[in-house]
Amino acid sequence: MEYKFLGNTDIKISALCLGCMSFGDPASKMHAWTLNADDSEKIIRHALKLGINFFDTANCYSAGTSEEYLGRAVKRNAKRQDVVLASKVYFNDGHLSKEAINREIDGTLKRLGTDYLDLYIIHRYDYGTPVAETMEALDGLVKAGKVRALGASAMYGYQFYYMQLAARDNGLTMFSSMQNHYNPMYREDERELIPICQQTGVSLTPYSPLAAGRAARPTWDADTARGKTDKVAREKYDSTEETDKAIAERIFRTAEKYGTTMTAVTFAWHFAKGVTAPIVGATKEKYLDDAVKAFDIKLTDDDVKYIDEPYVPHKIVGAL
């Protein structure tokens, strides 16, 4: 495992982050394919054995049970100071208002069973709350010791830059990470958001780095519970299936070239693009084993160009 610092902070994170949207009570009706508490703990334990210390969840994942499962597993299998816990706020009453942020962080901390969060991420941009109110509320959490660092997710470049300026100009805590939608089949953020992050020292920790598995297998569809029921993934990717299949084919050929898996090649592609820690969503241990194989290869510039060449512009998916 490789480790890097989160943005300009002293927080050291593994170069792979375990995404915990796969964990939670299916009865919450968020997803039909989430793992129960015991199976979630098995995946988390395996991640820890592989050297992964960075875990990402959200207050809205499976009605909070994702946070509960993660907190329980960490308490049983690791020392709190040895892991980096991230969660999110937005998909809740009040979105990013001061009242909502202060309410939701307390709920998150309680469910995780900890008195502080390493990274608190705003899940989306809030058009209904003044930016100053949001940034002051988030800064207040840092000053109170409830949060160590701040991050943002899925928004337009101008929105992120505006929020960063509001924090900087008012002496408030700035964002250290960006969790955006990014993979070989969706690269729209290369236009503005990613350059802004790179120029300001903000770590990239993208979600859906494998395009919901479409960049990890030679077939477009998967005969799995998630493949059959994940309507969100279908909405993200199926409209561009015909053009994006060519990208999957090139990832497959590159994997053959290096004698490895498509998953490894896709994560190696992320590292070649300057990503700090892509988020791995795993329901089976072997998916994590495939992901860490990315550290055994280094794609050349020609490899990256070969994978990138078939890409065509996509409609925006993620930013509201």
Side-chain angles (χ1 to χ4, degrees), residues 1-4 12-18 42-55 77-79 81-84 271 276-278 280 285 288-289 291-293 295:
M1 183 56 58
E2 297 180 3
Y3 298 89
K4 305 172 184 178
K12 187 172 286 188
I13 59 174
S14 52
L16 290 173
C17 174
L18 181 64
K42 289 178 183 177
I43 299 295
I44 293 167
R45 188 185 304 120
H46 191 65
L48 289 166
K49 288 180 179 178
L50 292 173
I52 294 174
N53 74 340
F54 188 17
F55 300 88
N77 297 279
K79 295 179 180 179
Q81 64 268 26
D82 292 338
V83 297
V84 176
F271 297 140
T276 302
V280 189
E285 292 180 1
L288 294 178
D289 294 334
V292 299
K293 292 176 182 176
F295 300 115

Side-chain angles (χ1 to χ4, degrees), residues 25 66 86 101 108 111 157 172 183 186 216-217 222-223 230 242-243 257 284 291 295 300 316:
D25 187 352
S66 172
I101 287 172
T108 283
R111 288 187 291 272
L172 305 174
N183 57 62
Y186 184 85
R217 59 178 181 259
D223 187 23
D230 194 341
E242 291 308 312
T243 55
K257 171 184 172 182
K284 296 179 181 178
F295 300 115
T300 66
I316 300 297

Side-chain angles (χ1 to χ4, degrees), residues 10-179:
D10 62 353
I11 301 173
K12 187 172 286 188
I13 59 174
S14 52
L16 290 173
C17 174
L18 181 64
C20 299
M21 190 175 70
S22 301
F23 311 144
D25 187 352
S28 69
K29 298 182 179 180
M30 180 177 182
H31 296 297
W33 42 267
T34 52
L35 302 182
N36 63 30
D38 290 341
D39 290 339
S40 297
E41 184 169 349
K42 289 178 183 177
I43 299 295
I44 293 167
R45 188 185 304 120
H46 191 65
L48 289 166
K49 288 180 179 178
L50 292 173
I52 294 174
N53 74 340
F54 188 17
F55 300 88
D56 174 83
T57 184
N59 61 349
C60 62
Y61 291 169
S62 296
T65 57
S66 172
E67 290 179 326
E68 292 174 0
Y69 291 3
L70 174 60
R72 193 179 312 163
V74 166
K75 187 174 183 179
R76 291 175 176 172
N77 297 279
K79 295 179 180 179
R80 174 64 184 89
Q81 64 268 26
D82 292 338
V83 297
V84 176
L85 299 181
S87 194
K88 310 184 197 72
V89 57
Y90 173 84
F91 292 105
N92 42 256
D93 291 341
H95 295 311
L96 299 181
S97 68
K98 178 179 179 180
E99 187 274 333
I101 287 172
N102 288 330
R103 177 190 69 238
E104 293 300 322
I105 186 62
D106 288 341
T108 283
L109 293 177
K110 182 178 180 179
R111 288 187 291 272
L112 284 169
T114 182
D115 56 4
Y116 71 94
L117 197 63
D118 297 285
L119 177 63
Y120 204 30
I121 301 166
I122 59 169
H123 219 151
R124 293 294 187 274
Y125 182 84
D126 185 359
Y127 292 89
T129 301
V131 167
E133 177 180 340
T134 295
M135 299 311 296
E136 287 172 4
L138 292 171
D139 181 69
L141 300 184
V142 176
K143 286 184 168 62
K146 292 184 177 182
V147 172
R148 295 178 66 195
L150 302 176
S153 178
M155 60 183 62
Y156 293 103
Y158 80 90
Q159 295 170 333
F160 182 64
Y161 191 61
Y162 179 45
M163 298 189 83
Q164 286 284 64
L165 289 182
R168 186 197 69 183
D169 294 347
N170 290 284
L172 305 174
T173 306
M174 297 176 67
F175 295 120
S176 297
S177 70
M178 167 52 66
Q179 186 179 130

